[in-house]
Amino acid sequence: MRILLVEDTHDVGEAIAKRFEAIGHAVDWETDGRAAAEIIDFTEYSLIILDVMLPGMDGFEILKRLRKSGNAVPVLVLTARSEIEDRVGALDLGADDYLVKPFDFRELEARARVLIRRRTGGEATNLIKCGDIAIDRGARSVHVGKREVQLKRRELTLLEVMAARPGRVFSKDELLDQIFGFDEAANANAIELYVGRLRKKLEGAQARIVTVRGLGYQLVPGDAA
């Protein structure tokens, strides 16, 4: 999924970005609050990880503007402030969750998974199923029936996006936005390449990736294929 990280402490931001990119997410990392607020106005994200103390505009103000505009993207607030008033304040402004620094990256990943699950349909588990395809978002693994399928991180992310909403048609531009960040050069041909690879690796599965001419791709369960 595509994540916006707003964090001005370089070593913390770099570590978070690398962590999420390593498991297949596209991460846009901003260090300035005002710049981040502008990006949010024209870019759709699955999750925003938001520091509080930022140059340009603080995290609370970004959060306030975000919710005032009607944007319901999940927001996970990072704060060095441990006082209960600050945590309650973040939640009252519309944060979905928060973590107090310093934190364990495993906890950050787990909390992010929960928020992304809610965003993609509210599943109470890390397991996504479509036909006989099963994706474990915690273990980052895929099975077709009892057979484990080895996917590269972007292949897995592409499958995850489509499997979370089976039957929905995704345009190439939507899929590009989900699996590539601002700093990564890619075009529609890259999506065709990844779809082709996925089809080969998922050969024999009940569910299949269907091309909807002129519109994009959809993952169709076996009973609808």
Side-chain angles (χ1 to χ4, degrees), residues 73-225:
V73 60
V75 176
L76 174 58
V77 169
L78 304 179
T79 177
R81 303 171 176 178
S82 58
E83 290 81 2
I84 187 65
E85 290 82 3
D86 291 317
R87 287 176 279 167
V88 170
L91 294 172
D92 283 344
L93 285 173
D96 297 273
D97 201 355
Y98 64 86
L99 269 177
V100 177
K101 298 177 181 179
F103 51 80
D104 189 304
F105 283 102
R106 293 170 298 178
E107 183 177 7
L108 175 62
E109 286 180 17
R111 289 175 182 266
R113 283 196 298 270
V114 169
L115 296 179
I116 290 173
R117 284 205 306 264
R118 294 176 188 169
R119 176 74 165 175
T120 57
E123 306 95 332
T125 172
N126 282 325
L127 193 65
I128 302 176
K129 287 189 174 182
C130 184
D132 59 349
I133 298 173
I135 306 168
D136 188 327
R137 287 188 282 200
R140 307 304 293 169
S141 63
V142 176
H143 284 79
V144 173
K146 294 182 179 180
R147 172 174 65 94
E148 185 171 4
V149 179
Q150 299 295 327
L151 298 181
K152 295 183 178 179
R153 63 184 181 91
R154 286 205 174 103
E155 295 168 352
L156 177 55
T157 301
L158 180 60
L159 179 61
E160 184 180 349
V161 169
M162 291 192 289
R165 297 179 182 177
R168 184 189 186 283
V169 178
F170 291 90
S171 70
K172 292 178 182 178
D173 285 342
E174 285 181 293
L175 295 173
L176 276 171
D177 284 345
Q178 290 295 321
I179 65 175
F180 291 98
F182 282 136
D183 298 331
E184 298 172 298
N187 57 35
N189 292 333
I191 297 300
E192 294 177 8
L193 177 64
Y194 283 114
V195 167
R197 289 177 179 174
L198 267 181
R199 281 175 169 156
K200 288 181 181 179
K201 292 183 178 182
L202 299 175
E203 191 172 354
Q206 293 172 4
R208 62 190 178 94
I209 299 172
V210 175
T211 301
V212 182
R213 190 172 299 276
L215 295 176
Y217 302 100
Q218 63 181 164
L219 184 66
V220 181
D223 54 4

Side-chain angles (χ1 to χ4, degrees), residues 5-43:
L5 168 64
V6 192
E7 169 61 69
D8 68 323
T9 304
H10 189 270
D11 55 346
V12 175
E14 184 176 43
I16 293 173
K18 285 184 176 179
R19 190 94 179 194
F20 281 99
E21 286 170 349
I23 57 176
H25 298 295
V27 180
D28 297 328
W29 174 22
E30 271 298 332
T31 59
D32 180 82
R34 191 167 299 280
E38 292 174 358
I39 289 171
I40 292 168
D41 287 340
F42 63 83
T43 308

